[in-house]
Amino acid sequence: MAVIPVPERLLHPMEFPRKLLMGPGPANAPPRVLAAGALPLLGHLHPEFVQIMDDCKSGIQYAFQTENPVTLAISGTGHAAMEAACCNLVEAGDVVLVLCAGIWGHRFADMVDRHDGVVKKLNKPAGETFSLSDIEQGLRAHNPKLLFVTHGESSSTTLQSLEGIGKLCHKFGCLVVVDSVAALGGVPLLQDAWELDVVYTGGQKVLSCPPGASPISFGPAAMKKVKSRKTKIRSFYLDINELANYWGCDGQPRRYHHTGPISNIYTLREALSILAEETLAKCWERHAKCAALLHDGLRQLGLELFVKNPECRLPTVTGIVVPPGVDWKKVADNAMAKYRVEISGGLGATAGKIWRVGLLGYNAEPENVKSVLSALKEGITLQKKSHL
């Protein structure tokens, strides 16, 4: 006899309020992507599903601008892709240089430590980025085997230039891992041309599909490091050798490794199809135009952008300085309660100091920019009136 009673909430339908998700992610998904998630399930090794996986692989290669054979989607969110990069490349005692200008560098450093790597950090205040000179000094000082860099630091809303980093690292015999979760698709990224050994992103950002399938690509030098490991990869689930076989990347018959997130792969395939139809160049341009429109509107409201250097501003996530005497959360709460518009606060070092507005994929449209500006203006005005 069952002892635990039936949960009362499960006897009622779920609630689905329509919200405009203008934070740093997830973004709203296009109707086509949502519809793809409702398609009938297939077996995870059925030939029809294998073809969908192959379509995703070619779409990721296009999005990353890479010919790497080992290109696939990790079954998990962006954190799983980050963990995959770490556990496959880091062995005990390996020195890893981590560029920290927000929480994502610190998060990767934590993972390196858990895999018994030796963490060396280069730190910058939130809102700043690293020069090639900064990086070269770190490479000379620490002689690392691996360097980690965040392309789009969503916590501090910075865009880190990647050009030259791969070539510089390779000069010092160092591999480079790029976290482009908050940037990929919204700004240029050329994995092969820029000599980036491992790149990963998340599905729920610019690609605008549900979180759960995260694109990643390992270049030849990274795979050479994996193949020459002295110790076994600690995670079976994230072992890139096993995943490469399951995704048909190694030229061998596919073996069962795990049950892929079938519906998530459907939605990723549809999101990559939408990107291919728009083209990368037009997608980059659309995000740049919407960011410029948002920045201009913020200036007209008398608000200050958090990142001072225009070249270092992340188009997909904008940081806005909270004015003195204004409660950021009350403004965000008013936007959600009255307009169902999500505006996020800061994260890590920026918590309580900024708002973060996302212009991600499907949401990067002028009308959505206008909605955010209106919600900010009203929320700030209400607080000023309440202080009179």
Side-chain angles (χ1 to χ4, degrees):
M1 174 181 285
V3 176
I4 304 300
V6 171
E8 177 64 25
R9 286 288 303 168
L10 295 183
L11 302 179
H12 303 279
M14 291 186 284
E15 297 177 2
F16 292 96
R18 293 186 178 274
K19 298 181 179 182
L20 181 59
L21 305 180
M22 300 300 289
N28 293 98
R32 278 175 55 182
V33 169
L34 294 176
L39 293 173
L41 295 181
L42 291 167
H44 56 281
L45 285 172
H46 286 186
E48 299 88 352
F49 185 64
V50 166
Q51 182 60 61
I52 292 169
M53 294 172 73
D54 287 346
D55 293 345
C56 285
K57 176 179 174 178
S58 61
I60 298 166
Q61 288 173 319
Y62 172 67
F64 286 20
Q65 288 294 284
T66 184
E67 295 180 345
N68 292 335
V70 183
T71 299
L72 49 89
I74 297 289
S75 298
T77 62
H79 273 86
M82 178 186 276
E83 190 88 58
C86 183
C87 75
N88 282 281
L89 294 176
V90 177
E91 292 188 84
D94 284 354
V95 176
V96 180
L97 182 61
V98 182
L99 307 189
C100 296
I103 74 161
W104 303 117
H106 296 294
R107 189 70 50 92
F108 191 81
D110 186 345
M111 291 182 182
V112 171
D113 183 62
R114 290 166 187 257
H115 287 278
D116 296 328
V118 178
V119 177
K120 300 295 182 181
K121 293 181 180 180
L122 284 185
N123 294 295
K124 286 279 186 179
E128 297 184 18
T129 60
F130 298 87
S131 68
L132 290 177
S133 177
D134 294 330
I135 296 169
E136 182 169 0
Q137 288 179 31
L139 292 169
R140 289 187 183 278
H142 302 296
N143 191 30
K145 291 188 176 181
L146 187 69
L147 178 138
F148 173 86
V149 57
T150 308
H151 188 200
E153 179 48 78
S154 58
S155 70
S156 55
T157 69
T158 50
L159 175 66
Q160 172 65 51
S161 173
L162 299 177
E163 292 185 71
I165 292 179
K167 185 176 181 179
L168 179 62
C169 285
H170 295 158
K171 176 183 173 182
F172 286 86
C174 175
L175 298 175
V176 58
V177 171
V178 175
D179 178 318
S180 193
V181 170
L184 190 281
V187 295
L189 186 149
L190 309 173
Q191 182 171 4
D192 288 357
W194 294 348
E195 300 183 32
L196 307 174
D197 298 297
V198 176
V199 175
Y200 64 85
T201 192
Q204 75 276 19
K205 305 286 187 173
V206 174
L207 292 176
S208 300
C209 55
S214 299
I216 193 168
S217 182
F218 279 66
M223 288 307 297
K224 183 178 180 181
K225 171 72 165 70
V226 171
K227 298 295 185 183
S228 63
R229 287 177 63 102
K230 299 179 180 66
T231 56
K232 199 171 185 178
I233 295 165
R234 292 183 176 181
S235 171
F236 174 80
Y237 188 67
L238 297 176
D239 185 330
I240 197 64
N241 297 300
E242 298 288 341
L243 294 172
N245 174 264
Y246 177 49
W247 277 83
C249 302
D250 63 359
Q252 302 298 314
R254 299 188 196 220
R255 302 183 302 272
Y256 167 73
H257 175 249
H258 72 287
T259 302
I262 296 161
S263 296
N264 278 104
I265 299 300
Y266 291 169
T267 59
L268 176 61
R269 199 272 188 198
E270 192 65 20
L272 290 165
S273 177
I274 291 171
L275 177 63
E277 290 169 8
E278 183 178 15
T279 74
L280 274 172
K282 289 182 179 178
C283 194
W284 297 336
E285 182 182 8
R286 175 164 58 88
H287 283 81
K289 286 182 176 178
C290 282
L293 182 65
L294 174 62
H295 296 173
D296 184 60
L298 292 169
R299 292 187 193 97
Q300 291 182 36
L301 293 178
L303 295 173
E304 179 185 350
L305 294 170
F306 178 67
V307 179
K308 306 308 178 189
N309 185 347
E311 294 182 1
C312 299
R313 291 172 185 156
L314 181 60
T316 53
V317 185
T318 295
I320 308 158
V321 177
V322 178
V326 173
D327 185 327
W328 76 268
K329 194 172 187 306
K330 287 183 179 179
V331 174
D333 288 347
N334 182 73
M336 179 58 70
K338 190 167 182 180
Y339 300 106
R340 295 286 190 184
V341 172
E342 179 187 34
I343 298 172
S344 296
L347 183 63
T350 63
K353 300 176 182 178
I354 67 172
W355 292 290
R356 292 181 298 153
V357 171
L359 297 172
L360 296 163
Y362 183 60
N363 287 351
E365 295 292 345
E367 285 303 313
N368 293 336
V369 173
K370 293 176 184 177
S371 296
V372 167
L373 291 170
S374 295
L376 282 170
K377 181 179 180 179
E378 180 180 290
I380 294 170
T381 300
L382 287 173
Q383 281 201 47
K384 287 181 177 178
K385 286 182 178 179
S386 68
H387 293 157
L388 294 177

